[in-house]
Amino acid sequence: MQTNVANSIETPQTPQKSNGHNDNNGNGSATAEIAATAPGHYRVIRRNGKVTGFDKNKIHVAVTKAFLAVEGGNAAASSRIRETVNTLTEQVMYALTRSRP
């Protein structure tokens, strides 16, 4: 299985003070931006440079899609695949967070 590390993880930091401008365009982006800069939460720098909150489920979905691409669509019903994906997701989470507060 070939992997492409597209995002990097930023360790939790205190958020920057706001400049008083609200960039909310009505689609909830300001709420997402606030959640992405909340102290004590991991953040991811996406390929486009946007900082978003870390989501373990995205790792799970990516690993599942990789298995389906290799094993075929019938693998989605396989308990072996589900267990393997869950195990790999937990191993990735452990590797990412073991040296971070």
Side-chain angles (χ1 to χ4, degrees), residues 60-99:
H60 189 273
V61 169
V63 173
T64 301
K65 285 181 179 181
F67 267 100
L68 293 177
V70 172
E71 301 279 337
N74 295 334
S78 169
S79 62
R80 177 185 64 87
I81 298 295
R82 285 194 304 272
E83 289 172 12
T84 304
V85 167
N86 288 336
T87 301
L88 288 172
T89 301
E90 291 304 318
Q91 288 175 346
V92 168
M93 289 300 301
Y94 176 74
L96 292 173
T97 60
R98 69 177 169 219
S99 63

Side-chain angles (χ1 to χ4, degrees), residues 24-36:
N24 189 0
N25 58 8
N27 65 5
S29 64
T31 304
E33 186 175 325
I34 290 169

Side-chain angles (χ1 to χ4, degrees), residues 31-43:
T31 304
E33 186 175 325
I34 290 169
T37 59
H41 293 87
Y42 291 104
R43 294 176 295 279

Side-chain angles (χ1 to χ4, degrees), residues 9-68:
I9 294 184
E10 222 176 64
T11 57
Q13 298 175 353
T14 306
Q16 299 288 328
K17 290 189 176 184
S18 173
N19 60 5
H21 297 290
N22 185 358
D23 295 331
N24 189 0
N25 58 8
N27 65 5
S29 64
T31 304
E33 186 175 325
I34 290 169
T37 59
H41 293 87
Y42 291 104
R43 294 176 295 279
V44 176
I45 301 172
R46 300 176 63 109
R47 283 184 233 156
N48 65 5
K50 182 179 177 185
V51 177
T52 59
F54 179 78
D55 185 4
K56 173 182 172 179
N57 292 325
K58 290 193 178 224
I59 292 173
H60 189 273
V61 169
V63 173
T64 301
K65 285 181 179 181
F67 267 100
L68 293 177

